[in-house]
Amino acid sequence: MRTVPVPAAPNNVVTTPPMGWASWNTFAARIDSNVIRAQVDAIVSSGLKDAGYEYVNIDEGWWQGTRDPAGNITVDTAEWPGGMAAIAAYIHSKGLKAGIYTDAGRDGCGYYYPTGRPAAPGSGSGGHYDRDFLQFSRWGFDFVKVDWCGGYDERLDPQATYTRIGDSIARATAQTGRPMVFAICSWGNGSPWNWGPGLATMWRTSQDIIYHGQSASMDRVLANFGSAQHPTAQSPGHYNDPDMLVVGMPNFTAGQNRTHLALWAISGAPLLAGNNIATMSAETRAILTNREVIAIDQDPLGRQGAKVAEDDTDLQVYGKTLAGTGKRAVLLLNRTGVTADITARWSTLGLTGSVAVRDPWTGTDRGSFATGYTASVPAEQAVLLTVTGAEGSSPGGHTGPIVAG
Ligand code: GAL
């Protein structure tokens, strides 16, 4: 029996996958108040905010591991005028929510892998959980991502450590009244899909989608999509996290950007853009803000779509049950190096009779089809559809009702 009461873990902060923007993929550790403010302004002016992107997440680099004699985190106020409370207030003043970042160990990733600043010892929350999470909450942050560089090096146990952190966040929320989305980032270490659902809003399922200094690659996008497949772990408020988006980053084509967002949408994954919002093209903006694709991701049932068929090796069909009757999102994924036809068969999706097919990217109906629908899919790309028909007598694949564990 516990001697110190711990409030229930803050595990019901949101009911749909968090959407927003995070600083890491584009800026690495080179962030300050000016960088974040410019992105905040662009999230509003570009229409991303209106499309549902809400969290502005400050990742690695905001803090160099310094504390005052009492142990409280201190930051360089030349870079962050008014401290971190001021940037959180600026984000809130635009109607958005604020996210921050730390590490489970004593030293953070900026100590082990410097990315634009000198190695920063002490840049983790190890030994300071209650103090730091209360501080983040008092500063006004609504989201905290907890990384694992120090945790890994110090050989901490992922489940035990993140459980302690969840308890600290719950105590902070109890004091301030401000709930915080808790994002576990152990890169899949400790299989967080087995224990994350009772503890956190989201848990990373794999390594980074892009490494510092490298270009976005479809291989990594597909690898992270694959590693995130834990459909029974997911339910409203609790999500497998295949990592932040590389949509709109250098070298990615429009087709690759659409495929990437489609993969995350069929997964019901958190959508945290990682490109430079202030300089993105109109084409990237149109992709990121596509209402029908976002609606697939944000569907209130919170399901993770799962593979229902493999037409041939690496020609795959994924289905996601959507709210309502007889509604599915369908993804035809061509993992091969050549263009190929892929067929979605209604029986594998738990549907029967004639089914209406819609292209969410263009918002156009494709007609009704008796047994299935075939599309030509370019190499390493995907076709995304929404379909509406009659429910079959038995649910197809993993798309039927799932009681989340
Ligand atoms: C990694 C993490 C990335 C990013 C980076 C910062 O461990 O997976 O998402 O936060 O650290 O150094």
Side-chain angles (χ1 to χ4, degrees):
M1 196 170 161
R2 289 181 190 275
T3 49
V4 180
V6 177
N11 60 355
N12 275 317
V13 179
V14 297
T15 54
T16 53
M19 293 177 64
W21 174 85
S23 58
W24 170 252
N25 285 353
T26 290
F27 295 100
R30 302 299 307 167
I31 50 170
D32 60 19
S33 176
N34 289 332
V35 168
I36 300 300
R37 281 170 175 250
Q39 295 298 314
V40 167
D41 294 349
I43 288 166
V44 176
S45 64
S46 65
L48 255 69
K49 179 189 169 202
D50 288 344
Y53 293 84
E54 184 179 27
Y55 291 92
V56 177
N57 290 352
I58 299 170
D59 205 282
E60 173 80 50
W62 64 273
W63 177 46
Q64 306 312 303
T66 53
R67 293 179 185 272
D68 69 15
N72 299 307
I73 291 173
T74 55
V75 295
D76 180 346
T77 51
E79 294 194 337
W80 302 100
M84 302 315 286
I87 191 71
Y90 185 76
I91 294 168
H92 289 157
S93 77
K94 302 291 178 177
L96 297 166
K97 290 184 173 163
I100 197 147
Y101 164 94
T102 188
D103 196 281
R106 286 186 296 274
D107 302 312
C109 296
Y111 172 69
Y112 298 99
Y113 312 102
T115 55
R117 292 174 182 274
S123 55
S125 289
H128 303 271
Y129 291 162
D130 276 358
R131 180 185 300 277
D132 288 0
F133 294 105
L134 181 59
Q135 181 72 85
F136 299 153
S137 189
R138 283 193 173 139
W139 280 338
F141 286 95
D142 312 283
F143 183 116
V144 62
K145 168 178 170 181
V146 185
D147 214 335
W148 193 239
C149 286
Y152 183 83
D153 191 74
E154 294 164 30
R155 295 179 168 69
L156 302 181
D157 176 74
Q159 181 177 359
T161 303
Y162 282 107
T163 299
R164 283 185 55 211
I165 290 168
D167 288 346
S168 280
I169 293 172
R171 281 191 285 268
T173 296
Q175 278 203 49
T176 64
R178 177 180 292 282
M180 278 193 284
V181 168
F182 177 19
I184 291 172
C185 183
S186 69
W187 324 303
N189 277 289
S191 305
W193 42 89
N194 288 329
W195 41 268
L199 178 64
T201 299
M202 51 200 268
W203 48 91
R204 279 274 298 279
T205 46
S206 59
Q207 293 291 332
D208 295 6
I209 197 165
I210 185 172
Y211 291 119
H212 181 58
Q214 295 187 359
S215 299
S217 92
M218 192 45 82
D219 284 352
R220 287 225 61 85
V221 167
L222 288 170
N224 279 31
F225 169 73
S227 312
Q229 299 292 311
H230 302 286
T232 56
Q234 195 157 306
S235 65
H238 311 284
Y239 307 100
N240 296 298
D241 176 14
D243 203 359
M244 302 167 283
L245 300 168
V246 295
V247 170
M249 292 188 66
N251 302 324
F252 249 36
T253 65
Q256 290 174 317
N257 286 327
R258 276 193 290 270
T259 293
H260 176 16
L261 197 62
L263 290 165
W264 267 231
I266 198 95
S267 302
L271 297 182
L272 296 172
N275 59 315
N276 187 336
I277 304 301
T279 59
M280 71 181 164
S281 67
E283 185 178 67
T284 293
R285 182 175 67 225
I287 291 169
L288 281 173
T289 58
N290 184 291
R291 297 295 201 274
E292 292 194 25
V293 175
I294 289 173
I296 293 170
D297 180 79
Q298 297 283 299
D299 182 82
L301 290 184
R303 297 282 169 75
Q304 180 175 45
K307 189 167 72 176
V308 296
E310 191 154 78
D311 258 17
D312 203 341
T313 307
D314 286 341
L315 301 177
Q316 303 173 337
V317 182
Y318 289 78
K320 176 182 181 182
T321 299
L322 303 176
T325 302
K327 294 186 186 304
R328 309 281 188 269
V330 179
L331 182 103
L332 309 176
L333 174 60
N334 179 359
R335 287 176 173 270
T336 77
V338 290
T339 298
D341 282 356
I342 304 180
T343 300
R345 293 178 186 80
W346 306 146
S347 57
T348 63
L349 291 153
L351 297 175
T352 187
S354 181
V355 170
V357 175
R358 185 171 170 85
D359 175 351
W361 286 114
T362 57
T364 51
D365 294 327
R366 289 282 172 82
S368 288
F369 299 84
T371 56
Y373 180 81
T374 302
S376 172
V377 188
E380 287 206 323
Q381 292 195 23
V383 166
L384 182 65
L385 306 165
T386 49
V387 305
T388 308
E391 296 286 351
S393 50
S394 65
H398 293 280
T399 61
I402 292 170
V403 179

